[in-house]
Amino acid sequence: MISLLDYGAGNVRSLRNAITRLGYEVRDVRAPEDILAAERLLFPGVGAFGAAMARLRDQGFVEPLLDYLRADRPFLGICIGLQCLFEGSDESPEVAGLGLIPGRVARFPSQALSVPHMGWNGVRVCRDAELFAGLTADRFYFVHSYCARPDAANADWLLAETDYGDAFVSAVQHGQVIAVQFHPEKSGPAGLAFLQRFLTGTVAVAPAFAPRILSAPEAAKTPHPPAPPTRLAKRVIACLDVRSNDAGDLVVTKGDQYDVREGGEVRNLGKPVELAARYYAEGADEITFLNITAFRDFPLRDQPMLEVLRRTSEQVFVPLTIGGGIRAFTDADGNSYSALDIADEYFRSGADKISIGSDAVYTVEQVRARGADGGSAIEQIAARYGNQAVVISVDPRRVYVSGPEATERPVIETAHPGPNGERFCWFQCTVSGGREGRDVDAVELARTCEALGAGEILLNSIDRDGSGSGFDLELVAAVRAAVRIPVIASSGAGIPEHFVEVFTATGADAALAAGIFHRREVPIADVKTALAEADIPVRIV
Ligand code: 1PR
């Protein structure tokens, strides 16, 4: 029996699903005595450090948890579940951690790196450990803005480190107490294998090990060459635009410049759960569902979409994003729902991130007029689920102008002139699936949403959507340069070289495609091979 320390701070459905998939039953810790009664305890910290510790305290879990850990009983902490083992975190400076591991957790410096550290990175195992046997060449899924650094004080605990800028602590182990900064439940087959080792209890107590930190003269004598740095992989994301067709069936569709009808019918490219499972098996690093007509329908009434999410999360163990209809809504009976209510339902059904489209544009207009007031969907959802859980889906279209003086919006000089030879353009944000243009440009949108707490930008292009002519490199470069959060380039992928091009030319963190995958024109493996051949780090499954 596996006990789960789910203290109600967020979505741990994916972890439950992974444990169930591996054939184990999960029991929830509901009272302090359940901790000491546990045979194996999992602590998937979710949300902010301070909130996690406050909940542990409020529920009287701290003392039994410390007793459990000090007794060296089987424990696996995940993400914040690792960070809580330290003395404290700069994320919540006033809150004490469990203090089992000396030292503090600090924020990644964001000058040169996208923060959060989001995506698939490697681990450099620092001592013999069965936990990672055969998995050291694999990548695992990380998503965090704070980390602990390896140093002399925590050397006794250090099991693995990972590089992002400088090295940070990605796994610790002391006897049977283990914690990892990555999410095994979201790390595909390698993550499930890791989790299974903990669940089966086949992990031997770590043998005595040589301290990793050597003084300079000793290091010079050591016969082993240092392990190579780990690299954060560029992510390849499969996107499924989902809507009901005219017969009322939920289908994956695909537009050309957002027009999803052909011969009057909604294009039907497959069933959402089946396609998502196929992309998982083929090595997609993430799956994104966009509920593309949710701007006009109330998504909580759209039960099939929630069911799609539930069923997908039972079999797909990479991050799942869902977008569409995340905004405040009043139904026909006068019942009001906040955007957070809708997001809650998506998270409960298995989403790891939600994406906000139209509502983000309206929010930017409001912030421009009146400033931020904490009430936007972005702020509320980020406060409850963390910044990394809030993606902004941008649907821009090029507006060509004769010169910078022709608009108040920031323009770029483009290598792809407009229909009348215009050499300048700006990127106008749209709402309602591209149906309405607003007076907000994509760079302003991305910057404002980042300031409000969004964790990632999904950058579409209506001009390139479905064209197969390559990503809009100028658009991606402009937005990438404007924000520090990760940027996903989307729309226009036609061949593997387009992925190489977008990563090389723009510094995008991820690239998303739909049509070429749905129509089986380009296998995901071919994209990864082309990237690897260009020495762009990728996760190979
Ligand atoms: O406004 O918060 O309700 O969210 C609605 C969401 O639905 C937005 O994320 C918006 O991008 C999306 N959406 C709305 N209408 C459409 C449409 O196509 N008619 N799809 C739509 C957007 C664009 C990409 C597509 C890439 C890659 N689809 O997601 O997958 O362009 O395609 P490609 O590789 O085939 O070129 P809200």
Side-chain angles (χ1 to χ4, degrees):
M1 177 68 78
I2 307 301
S3 297
L4 189 64
L5 190 50
D6 171 9
Y7 49 87
N11 168 41
V12 294
R13 188 186 180 96
S14 17
L15 184 59
R16 283 178 200 282
N17 284 341
I19 298 168
T20 310
R21 172 70 166 238
L22 292 169
Y24 291 83
E25 266 183 64
V26 186
R27 204 189 62 167
D28 282 313
V29 169
R30 298 197 189 284
E33 54 274 21
D34 295 342
I35 293 182
L36 290 169
E39 288 166 24
R40 315 189 74 73
L41 184 63
L42 269 151
F43 177 28
V46 180
F49 182 93
M53 284 306 306
R55 287 193 186 241
L56 288 181
R57 286 220 157 76
D58 291 349
Q59 296 178 52
F61 288 167
V62 169
E63 283 313 315
L65 182 55
L66 279 170
D67 289 346
Y68 184 94
L69 293 166
R70 288 190 188 118
D72 190 23
R73 297 177 53 193
F75 172 89
L76 178 61
I78 296 173
C79 193
I80 296 281
L82 175 145
Q83 297 182 5
C84 285
L85 298 180
F86 284 81
E87 290 168 303
S89 168
D90 293 354
E91 186 174 17
S92 317
E94 68 293 350
V95 178
L98 293 169
L100 210 64
I101 308 180
R104 292 181 65 79
V105 172
R107 194 174 162 84
F108 281 111
S110 61
Q111 292 81 4
L113 300 166
S114 298
V115 177
H117 169 234
M118 185 186 289
W120 300 77
N121 205 331
V123 290
R124 190 166 49 249
V125 178
C126 304
R127 53 177 144 123
D128 288 342
E130 284 182 30
L131 265 173
F132 284 105
L135 299 175
T136 49
D138 285 290
R139 284 189 158 88
F140 298 86
Y141 185 78
F142 292 82
V143 51
H144 57 128
S145 300
Y146 293 79
C147 66
R149 302 291 182 185
D151 60 23
N154 60 39
D156 278 1
W157 279 86
L158 189 66
L159 176 58
E161 55 187 29
T162 292
D163 297 307
Y164 191 59
D166 293 328
F168 68 86
V169 175
S170 48
V172 293
Q173 180 179 12
H174 208 288
Q176 301 206 75
V177 177
I178 298 159
V180 291
Q181 182 60 68
F182 56 83
H183 288 266
E185 76 282 12
K186 287 281 127 192
S187 296
L192 293 185
F194 181 91
L195 198 54
Q196 187 156 34
R197 287 177 195 181
F198 170 74
L199 297 176
T200 53
T202 53
V203 181
V205 173
F209 58 93
R212 190 195 62 88
I213 295 175
L214 304 176
S215 64
E218 282 173 317
K221 279 188 274 165
T222 179
H224 301 296
T230 69
R231 294 165 82 192
L232 178 64
K234 298 291 185 182
R235 287 170 280 152
V236 175
I237 301 175
C239 182
L240 292 82
D241 290 354
V242 179
R243 61 163 289 170
S244 297
N245 64 11
D246 298 324
D249 302 320
L250 206 61
V251 297
V252 175
T253 189
K254 186 66 216 51
D256 284 328
Q257 300 193 319
Y258 285 32
D259 180 359
V260 299
R261 288 184 183 269
E262 194 169 275
E265 303 275 313
V266 172
R267 282 193 196 91
N268 180 348
L269 293 171
K271 295 184 178 167
V273 181
E274 282 174 17
L275 266 189
R278 185 186 119 202
Y279 295 141
Y280 171 61
E282 291 176 359
D285 297 317
E286 287 185 36
I287 309 282
T288 295
F289 288 111
L290 296 176
N291 190 354
I292 68 170
T293 48
F295 68 88
R296 60 174 178 234
D297 307 321
F298 180 42
L300 293 194
R301 204 164 286 145
D302 200 355
Q303 294 303 327
M305 197 61 219
L306 297 177
E307 186 57 21
V308 161
L309 210 44
R310 282 187 207 110
R311 285 176 44 218
T312 304
S313 67
E314 284 165 9
Q315 47 191 305
V316 168
F317 297 99
V318 294
L320 294 177
T321 301
I322 172 120
I326 298 184
R327 68 195 156 99
F329 191 89
T330 302
D331 69 14
D333 303 326
N335 302 314
S336 294
Y337 300 86
S338 69
L340 184 57
D341 293 332
I342 295 166
D344 280 341
E345 199 53 44
Y346 278 152
F347 285 119
R348 266 198 292 275
S349 302
D352 300 290
K353 311 186 224 180
I354 53 86
S355 112
I356 303 176
S358 308
D359 193 67
V361 181
Y362 297 129
T363 297
V364 170
E365 291 176 346
Q366 282 160 17
V367 169
R368 197 197 278 160
R370 299 193 291 276
D373 61 7
S376 69
I378 300 169
E379 291 159 291
Q380 293 191 351
I381 299 168
R384 177 166 308 173
Y385 291 97
N387 310 61
Q388 81 293 334
V390 181
V391 183
I392 304 300
S393 173
V394 194
D395 299 313
R397 181 184 275 125
R398 282 178 173 236
V399 177
Y400 287 99
V401 289
S402 52
E405 66 292 340
T407 173
E408 287 180 4
R409 298 287 142 237
V411 296
I412 61 149
E413 189 167 1
T414 175
H416 307 284
N420 302 311
E422 299 96 331
R423 287 180 25 254
F424 295 86
C425 74
W426 65 284
F427 297 100
Q428 181 184 34
C429 293
T430 64
V431 295
S432 306
R435 287 167 181 78
E436 186 191 342
R438 306 290 297 189
D439 193 19
V440 173
D441 92 288
V443 170
E444 178 190 8
L445 183 98
R447 273 210 187 107
T448 305
C449 292
E450 176 181 40
L452 292 173
E456 194 170 28
I457 303 291
L458 163 50
L459 185 55
N460 302 297
S461 155
I462 297 180
D463 308 286
R464 296 295 176 105
D465 177 53
S467 69
S469 60
F471 298 94
D472 187 333
L473 302 179
E474 293 173 337
L475 167 65
V476 180
V479 172
R480 176 59 288 172
V483 293
R484 295 261 42 96
I485 53 178
V487 173
I488 304 166
S490 164
S491 307
I495 50 174
E497 288 67 30
H498 289 151
F499 291 81
V500 175
E501 186 179 62
V502 76
F503 288 130
T504 312
T506 72
D509 301 270
L512 171 153
I516 54 169
F517 297 150
H518 301 336
R519 293 187 298 268
R520 294 184 185 269
E521 288 164 7
V522 177
I524 293 172
D526 286 9
V527 174
K528 300 270 182 104
T529 304
L531 292 171
E533 284 172 2
D535 194 32
I536 294 170
V538 280
R539 177 181 75 113
I540 304 285
V541 178

